[in-house]
Amino acid sequence: MSQHPSDPYRTPQTTQPARSLPRRDMRDTNRGPFTPPPATTLTSQRPQQSLELAQRYELLNRLGMPPVANEDFDDLARDMATQAGFLYGFVNLFLEEQTFVGLHQPPADSGFVIVGRTMSRDHGWCPEVMARKKALPLHDVHASPRFSGNAVVDAVGIRSYFGAPLMHDSGTVLGTVCVIDPEKRPLAEARRLRDIVINASTQVMDHITRAPVR
C-alpha cells in the first residue's frame, strides 16, 4: 500500500473502501480532427459560456488536439503531482464537463478515493481558475468560507488545491492544470507549489501547440 508522498508518517485509511466520482472511459488516440458537440448542446449554456465553449472547441480542432485521455498528459500530471508531493494531478479541458485528459492518482487498492475522467463544470476549484485566468493557491481550502463549501471537499476529502489556467496566445482559456490532496499544506509552501502548477501549465500548452495549426 502506498504511503502519502509528502508525509512518511501518514498511513492511508484502510477501513473505508475507495469511492468513485462519476467516470467516463476515455481512450488514448492520435491527434486528428474531432467533431464538436451539436449546436443545441452549446446553446443550452448561458450565452457567454456558450461562446467560450465554442471558442475552445474551435481552437482545439485547429490545433489537432482531441479532448481525450492522453499518455503524455498523464505523465505531465504525474510529474506535477510528484514535484508537489500531492496524491492527485490533473490536466483538465473545460468543455461540457471538466475533462481530465491527464490524470494521476493513487493506485486502486490504496484506500484513497479513485476519480474518473470527467466531472461537472460546477464542481471543484478549477471554475474559479477559469474565471480569474490566473493561478489559485489554496494551501488549506477551509481557510476561506468561499472555497470550503465544495462538492469535491465532501466527495474526495480535499484540504489543499493548487491550480493554474491553460492560456493560449489568442486569449482563449482551454482549461487548467491542478493538484489536490487530503492534507493541508503550510502557508510557507504556497509560492513553491503555485510555481509548480504554473510551470506545468506552460509545459501542457507547449505540448498542445507543438503541432502545426491548420
Side-chain angles (χ1 to χ4, degrees), residues 80 134-135 163-165 177 193-203:
M80 176 175 56
K134 62 180 181 180
V177 296
L193 296 170
R194 181 205 61 186
D195 289 347
I196 287 172
V197 295
I198 290 174
N199 181 61
S201 70
T202 300
Q203 293 182 60

Side-chain angles (χ1 to χ4, degrees), residues 17-25 88 90 97-98 100 103 105 112-120 123-125 150-158 180:
R19 293 163 291 157
S20 294
L21 296 178
R23 67 171 64 229
R24 172 181 295 170
D25 290 336
Y88 302 84
F90 303 86
E97 298 177 290
Q98 298 184 63
F100 307 139
L103 173 62
Q105 62 183 326
F112 291 104
V113 173
I114 303 304
V115 301
R117 286 278 184 176
T118 62
M119 186 170 70
S120 167
H123 290 175
W125 300 272
N150 194 295
V152 175
V153 172
D154 296 329
V156 189
I158 295 308
I180 59 176

Side-chain angles (χ1 to χ4, degrees), residues 6-93:
S6 65
D7 187 349
Y9 300 104
R10 181 178 186 273
T11 301
Q13 296 294 325
T14 57
T15 57
Q16 296 181 355
R19 293 163 291 157
S20 294
L21 296 178
R23 67 171 64 229
R24 172 181 295 170
D25 290 336
M26 300 172 66
R27 60 183 177 84
D28 294 340
T29 185
N30 294 326
R31 287 178 177 235
F34 64 93
T35 304
T40 53
T41 301
L42 300 181
T43 55
S44 68
Q45 311 278 342
R46 291 196 295 269
Q48 184 61 31
Q49 287 183 339
S50 177
L51 174 61
E52 292 172 350
L53 183 57
Q55 290 173 338
R56 288 182 204 120
Y57 271 112
E58 191 275 335
L59 179 57
L60 289 170
N61 195 30
R62 284 197 298 119
L63 294 170
M65 177 64 223
V68 297
N70 182 293
E71 288 185 359
D72 289 336
F73 291 145
D74 284 346
D75 290 342
L76 283 167
R78 184 195 65 234
D79 292 344
M80 176 175 56
T82 300
Q83 290 179 49
F86 277 50
L87 284 179
Y88 302 84
F90 303 86
V91 178
N92 176 17
L93 297 181

Side-chain angles (χ1 to χ4, degrees), residues 122-190:
D122 299 324
H123 290 175
W125 300 272
C126 287
E128 177 72 16
V129 174
M130 296 291 294
R132 62 194 273 144
K133 298 184 179 181
K134 62 180 181 180
L136 177 63
L138 298 176
H139 73 285
D140 180 2
V141 299
H142 294 311
S144 169
R146 177 181 178 185
F147 298 114
S148 181
N150 194 295
V152 175
V153 172
D154 296 329
V156 189
I158 295 308
R159 287 296 300 274
S160 53
Y161 168 96
F162 287 79
L166 295 173
M167 293 279 298
H168 187 259
D169 290 341
S170 65
T172 298
V173 186
L174 291 174
T176 67
V177 296
C178 69
V179 290
I180 59 176
D181 197 85
E183 295 292 324
K184 66 180 181 180
R185 293 298 190 272
L187 182 58
E189 291 188 20

